[in-house]
Amino acid sequence: MQTHKVGYLIGSLAKDSINRKLARALVRLAPAHLEMTEISFRELPLYSYDYDADFPPVARAFKEELAGVDAILFVTPEYNRSIPGGLKNAIDWASRPYGKNSFTRKPSAVIGTSPGSIGTAVAQQGLRSVLSFCNSPQMNAPEAYIQFTPGLISDDGEVAVQSTEQFLRSYMEEFAAFIARVLSVLPRDA
């Protein structure tokens, strides 16, 4: 089985984020042929097209990290019925300057957790709209809106509820299959 490099972006910048815990669980449960790497966007300044002619080093490094992976996994909370501002800023940097969109033809998936019963559903729909504009093929099913309860996932990514662990493992297996399918018919270099 071919190895694929997957970069993951965690929408929350908080070090104790429940979405960071979810990301750790997903890394643990991913098939062995997925190389998972967090791509941080914490240091990016606010995007402005004034930078398009000469990106700052941190933004160039961010885009280089994105270029080095085969697919992107977004693990995001929901802030005010949308994605966090930091994540949107990172997407803006990645998609610019015009003609240099880092997400074009790059398979992606979206997942998130929150204490609320709709578990990031609204934020995910907004993010899917943005990714559609960025021409990123998206895994649309299974959808994954995880309601976080205390103790569900430990700090090191251990999942306490067996059915949730199996669902997350299956989600990552589906993502691996999606990546292989997309890359077999939609070469990144075309």
Side-chain angles (χ1 to χ4, degrees):
M1 198 156 269
Q2 182 177 1
T3 297
H4 290 111
K5 295 179 180 179
V6 176
Y8 61 94
L9 280 71
I10 302 171
S12 172
L13 297 176
K15 70 176 180 138
D16 293 328
S17 164
I18 58 177
N19 280 277
R20 182 163 298 285
K21 291 179 182 185
L22 175 58
R24 288 182 187 128
L26 295 168
V27 169
R28 279 188 57 257
L29 299 170
H33 62 280
L34 293 186
E35 285 182 18
M36 305 292 294
T37 304
E38 181 179 357
I39 300 176
S40 177
F41 54 85
R42 174 180 295 280
E43 303 301 323
L44 289 172
L46 289 176
Y47 172 75
S48 166
Y49 67 80
D50 293 335
Y51 290 115
D52 282 0
D54 186 23
F55 268 31
V58 66
R60 283 195 303 269
F62 176 67
K63 285 187 67 83
E64 287 170 10
E65 284 188 79
L66 290 170
V69 298
D70 300 311
I72 303 288
L73 175 63
F74 293 88
V75 184
T76 188
E78 183 168 298
Y79 290 0
N80 301 316
R81 297 286 190 247
S82 187
I83 61 174
L87 179 57
K88 177 60 168 73
N89 184 56
I91 293 169
D92 291 344
W93 276 107
S95 66
R96 301 295 296 181
Y98 183 79
K100 305 284 185 187
N101 178 0
S102 299
F103 299 117
T104 298
R105 297 184 173 198
K106 192 163 292 222
S108 62
V110 179
I111 189 171
T113 188
S114 78
S117 59
I118 61 171
T120 73
V122 178
Q124 287 189 40
Q125 291 309 309
L127 179 53
R128 289 178 190 285
S129 178
V130 172
L131 293 173
S132 291
F133 180 80
C134 290
N135 197 20
S136 175
Q138 299 170 57
M139 182 175 80
N140 293 313
E143 294 179 317
Y145 313 114
I146 309 301
Q147 183 177 14
F148 193 89
T149 55
L152 178 65
I153 303 173
S154 70
D155 290 343
D156 61 354
E158 293 283 337
V159 182
V161 177
Q162 186 176 6
S163 61
T164 301
E165 179 176 0
Q166 184 52 46
F167 173 79
L168 295 175
R169 184 183 313 280
S170 176
Y171 179 87
M172 292 305 290
E173 289 167 356
E174 289 290 333
F175 187 37
F178 175 76
I179 293 166
R181 210 168 37 250
V182 169
L183 295 180
S184 72
V185 297
L186 192 61
R188 297 256 318 129
D189 298 330

